[in-house]
Amino acid sequence: MFKKILLLFILLFLVGCKATKPVIITTKKVPVKPKSQVVNTTKKPNIAKPLYAKPEKQEQNNQETEVIVSTSKTVVTNEVIKAYISQFKDIAMGNMKNYGIPASIILAQGILESGAGVGDLAISANNHFGIKCHEGWTGESVRHDDDSEQECFRKYNYPSESFKDHAIFLTGRSRYAKLFALQKGDYKAWAKGLRTAGYATDPRYPDKLISYIERYNLHQYDNQVLDVNYVSNEKQLVEELTLETKKSKREDLALYEVQKGDTFYSISKKFNLMVDELKRINNLSNNILSIGQKLIVK
């Protein structure tokens, strides 16, 4: 009996202890990510720097810029002048063969007189040599300030016509006859002779031409022509040029407007010409034709 009472007492004591002991609940603490603080900031846009800005600037700095003053004031770079030479060197060499004017002189005058093709007269009238109307000119013309206000200058449909007229202009005037007696390819004598004959009033005209010839090695085109069966008889050349000029003045040039589907071959057949002759009389060196282009077909 005593044992039962003791056992009951122990049980009650244990139950009482459990009732008074605080219950501790253990849970695994999950790490709480700190709240991201919202800050109103403006993120700088990631603007990529232009990849070619610096090289372009360097390229521009490497280009020589000069002011060409003739019938207008034109600012050009050496790249513009090189492009001009590349475009018209074949015509210049063709005129040297046909008329006896050094290709280097033709190109140098073209650069100077036309501002390398971007001068006012070159743009508005395809006039690359500053040739004024003069007595007897019956073609189109434009007015332009030069030595005097609103002087009359010749206007052409294409630059090639200007190059051909420049050759006819020099060969058809007696004041330039002495130039054709000079040694072939003597660009310095030609430059000085043009000034003496009255082509330009600028006393530095010869120096400017010579400068362009030597800076851009234009004399190489004279050498190319001189190496290919060039006429060496001075007297015969002058006589032939005089006859050709007179013949050109007598004959009215027939023009043909290029139509869709035309080729050099079809046009040459239509007017009983050889393709090479058709190109030669139009001062053309490639096979490109454009609709509306006017060709001399005699």
Side-chain angles (χ1 to χ4, degrees):
M1 185 67 180
F2 175 78
K3 287 182 181 180
K4 289 182 180 180
I5 293 172
L6 180 59
L7 180 60
L8 180 61
F9 178 79
I10 292 171
L11 288 175
L12 290 174
F13 176 79
L14 291 175
V15 172
C17 289
K18 287 182 179 180
T20 57
K21 188 177 182 179
V23 178
I24 300 173
I25 301 174
T26 60
T27 59
K28 188 175 181 181
K29 188 175 182 181
V30 179
V32 180
K33 294 182 180 179
K35 273 189 178 181
S36 57
Q37 188 175 4
V38 179
V39 180
N40 292 326
T41 58
T42 303
K43 187 178 181 181
K44 290 184 179 180
N46 186 17
I47 301 175
K49 294 183 179 179
L51 296 177
Y52 300 101
K54 191 172 182 180
E56 283 179 356
K57 185 176 181 181
Q58 289 176 345
E59 183 179 353
Q60 184 177 359
N61 290 339
N62 290 334
Q63 291 184 5
E64 297 177 7
T65 303
E66 65 179 275
V67 178
I68 298 178
V69 180
S70 53
T71 53
S72 62
K73 184 177 180 180
T74 312
V75 180
V76 298
T77 65
N78 57 341
E79 293 303 320
V80 170
I81 296 175
K82 289 177 182 177
Y84 183 87
I85 295 167
S86 177
Q87 183 177 1
F88 295 109
K89 61 182 176 62
D90 290 334
I91 292 179
M93 288 190 288
N95 281 5
M96 182 176 180
K97 293 176 183 177
N98 295 328
Y99 298 97
I101 307 166
S104 59
I105 287 292
I106 296 171
L107 290 170
Q109 280 196 284
I111 293 168
L112 179 57
E113 297 288 350
S114 75
V118 295
D120 293 344
L121 278 177
I123 297 298
S124 65
N126 285 314
N127 189 329
H128 283 237
F129 296 92
I131 299 179
K132 298 178 182 178
C133 293
H134 296 289
E135 186 178 354
W137 175 252
T138 57
E140 292 184 75
S141 63
V142 295
R143 294 287 173 176
H144 182 76
D145 292 346
D146 191 38
D147 296 327
S148 302
E149 292 183 359
Q150 294 299 287
E151 291 190 82
C152 182
F153 285 85
R154 300 183 183 189
K155 181 179 180 180
Y156 310 95
N157 292 323
Y158 302 99
S160 59
E161 295 176 7
S162 177
F163 275 77
K164 184 170 184 177
D165 192 44
H166 169 258
I168 294 174
F169 182 83
L170 292 181
T171 56
R173 284 166 170 72
S174 58
R175 59 176 171 159
Y176 298 114
K178 291 182 179 179
L179 294 174
F180 295 93
L182 297 171
Q183 184 178 358
K184 293 296 173 288
D186 189 352
Y187 62 87
K188 291 184 179 180
W190 263 85
K192 295 172 183 176
L194 284 169
R195 168 72 176 86
T196 303
Y199 194 98
T201 57
D202 183 0
R204 296 186 60 247
Y205 194 78
D207 295 332
K208 292 178 180 179
L209 295 182
I210 293 170
S211 174
Y212 284 123
I213 292 171
E214 294 180 347
R215 282 161 55 195
Y216 293 97
N217 193 24
L218 303 182
H219 189 45
Q220 64 177 304
Y221 305 116
D222 298 341
N223 294 336
Q224 289 183 39
V225 173
L226 293 173
D227 289 341
V228 185
N229 299 323
Y230 194 76
V231 178
S232 59
N233 188 322
E234 309 289 348
K235 184 177 180 181
Q236 179 184 351
L237 176 61
V238 174
E239 289 175 354
E240 288 176 354
L241 291 173
T242 304
L243 288 173
E244 184 177 352
T245 303
K246 289 180 179 179
K247 183 179 178 182
S248 298
K249 289 183 177 179
R250 289 196 307 266
E251 295 179 352
D252 292 328
L253 297 177
L255 297 178
Y256 173 75
E257 186 171 326
V258 177
Q259 307 296 319
K260 184 177 180 179
D262 279 341
T263 63
F264 277 107
Y265 180 76
S266 65
I267 296 171
S268 63
K269 287 296 181 184
K270 185 179 295 185
F271 294 97
N272 196 26
L273 294 168
M274 298 294 291
V275 172
D276 290 342
E277 184 183 3
L278 180 61
K279 288 183 177 181
R280 181 183 63 79
I281 62 179
N282 286 278
N283 285 328
L284 299 174
S285 59
N286 53 42
N287 295 317
I288 300 174
L289 289 174
S290 56
I291 297 175
Q293 180 179 351
K294 293 181 180 179
L295 297 177
I296 299 172
V297 292
K298 289 190 177 183

